Amino acid sequence: MNPTSFAFEVTARQGRARAGMIHTPHGTIPTPIFAPVGTQATVKAVTPAQLEELGVSLVLSNTYHLYLRPGAELIAELGGLHRFMHWPHPILTDSGGFQVFSLSETRQVDDDGVTFRSHIDGSRHRLTPELAVEVQEKLGADIIMAFDECAPPYDRAYNERALERTHRWAVRCLKAHTRTDQALFGIVQGGVFLDLREKSAQFLVSLDFPGYAIGGLSVGETKDEMHAVLELVDGILPEDKPRYLMGVGTPQDIINGILRGVDMFDCVLPTRLARHHAAMTRNGRLNMMNAVYARDPSPIDPQCSCYTCRNFSRAYIRHLIVAREMLAATLLSIHNIATLIQLVTEAREAILTGTFDEFAAAFFALQNQSNA
């Protein structure tokens, strides 16, 4: 089913890099875009107002977690996910497949779906493609995902079986999808095996999804293997549909993805690093617990204009961490998200002005200099 209120346009290209616009019922998303992850209907330690100030235009939430708690019915009763979490802008929900398949000790997969035990209370649940779509329709996100099976990247036999299952489930998800105000994306799988990735991309393209996700990457494979997969599917996926690289969010991976035709990224990394006292910069990560920052009056990143860097010193942030104050996670999360939002914003501007090759070269030169 093609959504009536979803559209994508490419406004500029340089090489394989694209700048575009995704139009959704809750606003337009400029691409390339990074989406912070709000697993439980909240981006950890950051308010919606702070996200808006950072220029965030898309947030991701997790179907598996919201299905278990507080439940899709309750969220629907309270007006849907946008109203529930007070986020008036676009939302993407994943199908829950990755979370379910990560529960390797407590789930059983068959051709019809997955039976698993809740990580919260051990209760038994059954998730099928139809239920994954039903839950996401109740949540009401603008972009939703087909239910897929994320296989270990190097297990050929497992990937072959999982791919057939993922493709059958994609067809079932399309049949189950009823809301015309939501865009349902298919997910390309196949591990590190290029022939399986090619087969998956071609099959999903034949189903004419409004957008395509690339799953099963950044799960243990090498960077060269990730890049080979992206380069392969870039040549198969339609030029007029958005491409979404799931769960990838380091600055290096984002720029490498944009170079290979990716439009959308999401990752828990900026907020997770913040809770572990790490600050992201284009020069690498800083461990703000280090004693060297105890008397440092400078901001985390002198090049950053986020709220944290405009107002607080490294010494203050280290003090908050040592004192175990919650504000440390908030200030570091703001900075880390800002770092990635600014990166994709500058990348987009470089594509629009025809200078992305120079931008990427300067970015990687800085990385190499920092690692020297």
Side-chain angles (χ1 to χ4, degrees):
M1 176 185 296
N2 287 317
T4 57
S5 51
F6 179 90
F8 175 66
E9 56 187 303
V10 176
T11 52
R13 289 182 173 87
Q14 188 175 6
R16 300 309 304 165
R18 303 128 55 93
M21 306 288 278
I22 301 174
H23 304 286
T24 81
H26 289 88
T28 295
I29 305 165
T31 65
I33 190 66
F34 174 78
V37 175
T39 301
Q40 310 264 14
T42 172
V43 177
K44 293 187 188 304
V46 185
T47 69
Q50 289 165 331
L51 293 173
E52 285 187 318
E53 183 182 338
L54 289 168
V56 171
S57 58
L58 176 68
V59 166
L60 182 143
S61 283
N62 184 265
T63 295
Y64 164 82
H65 289 281
L66 296 177
Y67 161 75
L68 290 177
R69 182 177 58 193
E73 291 79 7
L74 186 148
I75 291 174
E77 177 187 326
L78 294 174
L81 193 54
H82 290 89
R83 183 175 297 178
F84 187 61
M85 63 188 288
H86 192 63
W87 179 252
H89 309 292
I91 296 175
L92 182 154
T93 47
D94 64 9
S95 68
F98 179 80
Q99 285 71 31
V100 168
F101 295 111
S102 67
L103 302 170
S104 57
E105 303 301 317
T106 58
R107 50 92 172 151
Q108 296 86 40
V109 186
D110 56 58
D111 286 344
D112 187 57
V114 187
T115 302
F116 65 96
R117 292 195 177 278
S118 164
H119 71 286
I120 300 169
D121 60 9
S123 57
R124 192 175 179 85
H125 297 270
R126 176 80 173 160
L127 195 55
T128 63
E130 291 77 12
L131 181 57
V133 170
E134 179 186 335
V135 170
Q136 291 183 90
E137 290 193 342
K138 288 177 179 175
L139 295 175
D142 302 87
I143 301 171
I144 66 176
M145 292 292 127
F147 192 54
D148 64 326
E149 181 170 9
C150 186
Y154 294 110
D155 188 331
R156 171 87 194 192
Y158 193 129
N159 271 280
E160 289 177 347
R161 294 193 304 273
L163 199 61
E164 293 301 321
R165 197 173 278 142
T166 290
H167 291 171
R168 288 195 299 271
W169 289 357
V171 173
R172 289 168 58 184
C173 285
L174 281 170
K175 289 180 179 177
H177 186 216
T178 64
R179 286 187 61 161
T180 60
D181 60 343
Q182 291 180 309
L184 172 66
F185 282 23
I187 304 178
V188 177
Q189 289 287 358
V192 298
F193 306 102
L194 296 183
D195 61 320
L196 297 184
R197 289 286 183 173
E198 180 178 13
K199 178 180 180 181
S200 184
Q202 289 175 340
F203 178 80
L204 293 172
V205 168
S206 75
L207 298 179
D208 194 28
F209 284 94
Y212 296 90
I214 306 157
L217 291 176
S218 197
V219 290
E221 80 287 351
T222 68
K223 298 300 183 188
D224 286 345
E225 288 167 334
M226 178 196 289
H227 298 162
V229 169
L230 294 179
E231 288 163 10
L232 173 76
V233 301
D234 171 63
I236 301 170
L237 297 178
E239 288 281 341
D240 61 347
K241 305 284 181 73
R243 294 94 171 265
Y244 162 36
L245 180 53
M246 306 180 78
V248 170
T250 69
Q252 299 91 331
D253 286 345
I254 288 173
I255 298 301
N256 272 310
I258 295 172
L259 280 165
R260 293 164 175 83
V262 176
D263 306 297
M264 305 166 61
F265 304 85
D266 84 281
C267 197
V268 299
L269 193 64
T271 49
R272 179 174 289 169
L273 285 175
R275 297 194 304 279
H276 290 85
H277 320 315
M280 301 177 80
T281 76
R282 296 191 198 183
N283 296 340
R285 297 175 192 171
L286 306 179
N287 180 355
M288 300 308 298
M289 269 289 285
N290 286 349
V292 68
Y293 302 124
R295 288 179 170 80
D296 191 335
S298 58
I300 294 172
D301 183 354
Q303 307 302 314
C304 180
S305 61
C306 77
Y307 171 79
T308 301
C309 289
R310 290 197 315 269
N311 294 285
F312 302 101
S313 65
R314 294 175 175 182
Y316 179 66
I317 290 169
R318 183 179 185 274
H319 156 69
L320 293 178
I321 293 168
V322 172
R324 299 186 177 181
E325 286 290 343
M326 291 186 290
L327 184 58
T330 295
L331 294 180
L332 282 168
S333 293
I334 287 171
H335 167 75
N336 288 349
I337 293 170
T339 297
L340 298 184
I341 295 295
Q342 188 62 31
L343 181 68
V344 294
T345 300
E346 291 180 17
R348 173 182 167 78
E349 184 61 28
I351 296 167
L352 291 171
T353 57
T355 59
F356 183 69
D357 288 344
E358 294 89 338
F359 174 83
F363 171 83
F364 287 118
L366 182 62
Q367 299 293 310
N368 294 335
Q369 179 182 335
S370 301
N371 294 330

